[in-house]
Amino acid sequence: EVQLQASGGGLVQAGESRRLSCAASGFDFHDYAIGWFRQVPGKEREGISGIMSIGRDTWYADSAKDRFTISLDVTSNTVYLQISNLNPEDTAVYYCAAEDLTHSLANIATVMGNKMRYWGKGTQVTVSS
């Protein structure tokens, strides 16, 4: 059973940095993508960033290109999202999701634009001004 566990959220001050982690387990495939999404109550969920296990291709939303960095540790199947210079608009529940790409030729942008198959519970990030 595929499981995704997001962690690293909490209450932070504006201007600080935070690293979120997404630990994936139960994978019986090695070609996959993991993406980070966030959602504010009353708003649609938005894709922030994604990464592919093979080739490490990455994708960032335009709003995330300056302050967000995604990385993958394949030995532990853990994806990290480093967020710098946090501001109150970053307050949201952050989710990670995964997609099996064993039979797919989709690039990371396409994967992030489609509904991903596996989702974990989110981690709340609250930024105070």
Side-chain angles (χ1 to χ4, degrees), residues 23-119:
S25 61
F27 279 20
D28 60 358
F29 44 86
H30 71 283
D31 187 0
Y32 59 87
I34 291 182
W36 281 99
F37 300 77
R38 67 183 181 185
Q39 188 166 23
V40 176
K43 294 188 177 181
E44 289 190 1
R45 184 174 58 205
E46 66 170 325
I48 299 297
S49 183
I51 190 167
M52 301 179 79
S53 63
I54 295 179
R56 305 290 193 280
D57 290 352
T58 59
W59 173 89
Y60 293 92
D62 288 342
S63 61
K65 289 180 179 177
D66 292 333
R67 299 184 296 112
F68 293 72
T69 303
I70 193 169
S71 60
L72 167 64
D73 179 354
V74 292
T75 60
S76 62
N77 282 344
T78 300
V79 173
Y80 301 98
L81 185 68
Q82 180 75 34
I83 314 172
S84 62
N85 194 23
L86 281 153
N87 59 67
E89 289 67 40
D90 294 318
T91 295
V93 178
Y94 286 74
Y95 298 89
C96 58
E99 184 63 50
D100 177 5
L101 300 180
T102 303
H103 303 292
S104 173
L105 297 177
N107 60 33
I108 185 62
T110 299
V111 173
M112 289 297 294
N114 295 330
K115 182 172 182 176
M116 300 180 86
R117 184 176 309 177
Y118 306 103
W119 288 82

